[in-house]
Amino acid sequence: MEVKSSGWRQLMNDWSADRVAFQVSWGKAMMWIFLLSDTFIFSCFLVGYMTVRMSGTTPWPDPSIVFALHIGGAEVPLLLIAIMTFVLISSSGTMAMAVNFAYRRERVRAATLMLITAGFGVAFVSMQVFEWTNLIVNEGVRPWGNAMGAPQFGATFFMITGFHGLHVTFGVIYLVTVAVRILLGRYERSGNYQIVEIAGLYWHFVDLVWVFIFALFYLW
């Protein structure tokens, strides 16, 4: 009973404080809780997409044709998607290096790598805007219809990729904000650069979600 009481007391102390929860920093714990809730949302979206696709009777559009780029009179399947994936996965590497330099208190290098990561994010979203424009203008895909097959294709595609693109956009703003604060020396006095790791958790999550979207939408 004493152990249980002590455990409850520790839990109450954690949640009534503003620094530590679950024996980790408050900021990191809250980010993990947010990412867990976001995982449920993306899981529901992807499970719903798979259910709609497998239960439908109308043929689903061939992704190698829908997402092909026309270069020199030839169609190159999934070229743009491959570049987008490479850019986003590369950004995870620069983000990891930013966290490493932040804990070494090399703030200029950490901030620079965060800005490079944000630049990768801007490139990704820009390519996604190009992809959407091509589907809407040239292919006639709409959230309520699709000239190439199953009408649910447009609804699921725009909803899920749009929701992910929104996360990337918010992530870019987040990274730039933290990088500027690092360059201004806001964390130098305390020496606590854990905010970089917290931002990195969010960014790695966004990259991981894209892997599932890439596999289910573009390769299936």
Side-chain angles (χ1 to χ4, degrees), residues 141-146 150-161 217:
V141 179
R142 302 288 188 274
W144 55 84
N146 168 34
Q152 299 92 338
F153 169 79
T156 54
F157 176 79
F158 289 127
M159 179 184 68
I160 295 176
T161 60
F217 265 105

Side-chain angles (χ1 to χ4, degrees), residues 81-143:
I81 312 305
I83 297 173
M84 290 170 63
T85 303
F86 175 78
V87 166
L88 205 57
I89 297 302
S90 297
S91 71
S92 274
T94 55
M95 189 68 236
M97 288 190 289
V99 173
N100 183 36
F101 282 119
Y103 277 119
R104 293 187 195 175
R105 298 186 66 173
E106 298 184 33
R107 61 190 182 97
V108 175
R109 289 185 176 181
T112 301
L113 285 165
M114 290 187 74
L115 292 174
I116 292 173
T117 304
F120 280 134
V122 171
F124 176 87
V125 173
S126 299
M127 287 185 282
Q128 191 170 59
V129 170
F130 174 81
E131 177 192 38
W132 275 37
T133 303
N134 180 62
L135 286 175
I136 294 171
V137 175
N138 298 327
E139 305 293 346
V141 179
R142 302 288 188 274

Side-chain angles (χ1 to χ4, degrees), residues 13-48:
N13 290 337
D14 283 353
W15 281 95
S16 62
D18 63 348
R19 295 182 179 275
V20 177
F22 302 120
Q23 298 183 350
V24 298
S25 71
W26 184 263
K28 191 186 293 186
M30 293 303 101
M31 178 56 75
W32 277 115
I33 292 173
F34 168 75
L35 295 180
L36 180 62
S37 65
D38 229 18
T39 299
F40 292 147
I41 295 174
F42 274 107
S43 298
C44 290
F45 283 172
L46 291 174
V47 170

